[in-house]
Amino acid sequence: MNSHTSPGLAVPQVVPAADLPEDAERFDVVVVGFGIAGGCAALEAARSGARVLLLERAAVHGGTSSMSGGHFYLGGGTAVQRATGQEDSVEAMARYLTATSKDPDERKIRAYCEGSVAHFDWLEALGFEFERSYFPGKAVIQPGTEGLMFTGNEKVWPFREEIRPAPRGHKVPVPGDTDGTKMVMDLLRDRVEEAGAEVRYETGATNLVVDGGGAVTGVAWRNFDRSGVLACGAVVLAAGGFVMNPDMVAAYTPALGEKLFTLGSTYDDGLGIRLGQSAGAALEHMDEPFITAPFYPPSSLVKGLIVNKRGERFAAEDGYHARTSYFVLKQPDAAAYLIADSDHMEEQRMPLVVLKDGYETIEEMEAGLGLPSGSLAATMARYNEYAARGEDPDFHKHPDWLAPQTNGPWGVYDLTLGTALYAGFTLGGMATTVDGEVRRGDGSVIGGLYAAGACASNIAQDGAGYCSGTQLGEGSFFGRRAGLAAAARGRGTAR
């Protein structure tokens, strides 16, 4: 696809450094985007003595981060894990993230796990505390203010066989499943201001300034009808993903364009990624979206069974909701049905997956769903027989979530794409080092250019291996590292 046919794929021109006016404003570090990654980058850069400017296109701080519930994926023995008696180690966390990653970057995973406890402490030092409590159920996010729950596939086969499961989903103490991160972003804004970083709202970066050697040495900006160019020693791109850019979605993750509710803010238009490309950035995992339609809570629904149009099970039902969705979307016509009997059909509290109908008999259900004759009866007989023994030889569902579905009538929940409300966001972005330096296709580093958050590719690589809390966890963690590295390079430029 070329940019002539698709304006959303257009890569901005770079501004040659030679064109910078003599009297251009100068900063040590310019951070583009005030979500969790940009805020953490700006704070660390400013605290280490750099003169920092933070540009944010919106009228307020927060970005897409502020819309989320407030999960941080942290482990290795955090204060909440210790207080609630949940054993974890750096080694177990690293092995788990390596096992569930599509293409694991050992250095990043190692750094993230080894730094996780210190990062937990750093987050709390912004001015809040994670509640020292544990939520044992299956939910998308803790319903109350509980500080810890399982938010990935730690207890799902085969991972649980190899690595002792530990819960690592740390939630900020705000009840419900939205706005938790807003509290963190408000504290982050206060700390950024205290540290002396300058923030300019309603001001977006439009182009990068690049010198003859390919290094980034400045930024062009626009604020309504005003525009200008400034010089700096380093730029940190933290401008979000591309889920709101139809051209980029069509080119990279077409599944996100079909019958989906997109999770993002207006500014998740991929501009940060395209700015990186203008300076030579390589991109990674651009074709892997996060797509999900959680069918729980209530937890009891997880004990049901999920079948495709052939009346066959195809995945363990106790996977993290995005993992289950990942497998649903690979079925014929992306169609699937969750079946639960009368003992397990509590009312859904987050009805993204609609109740299709109730059926008095299995035969009636099979006919009502248009499944091959006898298929559902055979599948359910096998499931129920083994579930009664606490076994699942086919998909190794955890015994905690096995129960025969024998007490009619049965309810069927429709997980089919286009019927269930699937939501999604993008995971791919610029290739970076462990310190957020942006890489070219040949692996070399672009001088003066750093990236973090949703416009960079880090630990979260696909929906099958995703854990809730990874985006905020890695965005804040690698945002801090990028800010420190950018400050080390850029300090002194502004003087």
Side-chain angles (χ1 to χ4, degrees), residues 10-310:
V11 172
Q13 297 290 313
V14 298
V15 176
D19 293 358
L20 264 178
E22 277 296 300
D23 59 350
E25 271 191 295
R26 291 184 178 274
F27 291 88
D28 296 330
V29 176
V30 174
V31 179
V32 180
F34 198 169
I36 193 89
C40 290
L43 181 53
E44 290 289 48
R47 282 178 174 172
S48 67
R51 183 169 176 228
V52 179
L53 173 65
L54 183 46
L55 300 177
E56 170 53 58
R57 276 195 281 174
V60 290
H61 64 287
T64 305
S65 304
S66 276
M67 298 161 67
S68 63
H71 259 159
F72 290 82
Y73 194 81
L74 303 164
T78 66
V80 180
Q81 286 178 321
R82 293 198 310 273
T84 55
Q86 301 289 341
E87 214 174 294
D88 195 14
S89 66
V90 169
E91 203 48 51
M93 185 181 179
R95 283 179 60 213
Y96 174 72
L97 287 174
T98 301
T100 54
S101 293
K102 186 180 170 185
D103 179 21
D105 182 325
E106 307 275 350
R107 281 195 66 197
K108 282 183 182 170
I109 288 173
R110 174 63 47 190
Y112 185 65
C113 297
E114 285 177 354
S116 191
V117 170
H119 186 54
F120 170 95
D121 296 339
W122 185 91
L123 288 166
E124 289 204 322
L126 293 172
F128 75 96
E129 268 194 6
F130 291 100
E131 192 175 283
R132 273 41 172 176
S133 57
Y134 171 67
F135 177 74
K138 267 257 188 209
V140 176
I141 193 163
Q142 293 90 313
T145 52
E146 300 91 346
L148 186 66
M149 74 177 257
F150 277 95
T151 60
N153 296 294
E154 297 86 358
K155 290 164 92 170
V156 176
W157 185 89
F159 312 114
R160 67 170 184 260
E161 305 282 299
E162 301 154 28
I163 305 140
R164 180 193 169 118
R168 303 188 182 101
H170 290 68
K171 183 194 176 186
V172 301
V174 175
D177 53 14
T178 54
D179 293 346
T181 316
K182 189 175 184 312
M183 180 195 77
V184 181
M185 291 306 307
D186 288 348
L187 291 166
L188 196 51
R189 174 203 54 199
D190 296 346
R191 302 293 86 82
V192 163
E193 286 173 5
E194 279 168 17
E198 185 181 340
V199 184
R200 293 180 191 167
Y201 295 105
E202 298 179 315
T203 306
T206 57
N207 311 79
L208 295 178
V209 177
V210 176
D211 70 15
V216 173
T217 60
V219 172
W221 56 269
R222 175 177 294 283
N223 163 272
F224 299 112
D225 54 354
R226 294 169 53 238
S227 60
V229 188
L230 50 85
C232 60
V235 171
V236 181
L237 295 173
F242 60 92
V243 75
M244 295 307 194
N245 180 328
D247 292 334
M248 286 182 77
V249 165
Y252 295 112
T253 57
L256 278 173
E258 296 168 13
K259 312 168 185 166
L260 278 194
F261 174 74
T262 44
L263 296 173
S265 76
T266 325
Y267 300 109
D268 279 316
D269 62 0
L271 179 62
I273 292 172
R274 287 177 287 122
L275 284 168
Q277 283 180 287
S278 75
L283 307 182
E284 288 180 341
H285 305 296
M286 291 291 283
D287 58 341
E288 288 289 355
F290 170 98
I291 298 178
T292 189
F295 59 82
Y296 57 78
S299 301
S300 62
L301 289 178
V302 180
K303 295 179 180 176
L305 65 158
I306 297 176
V307 300
N308 60 19
K309 284 178 85 168
R310 296 192 286 261

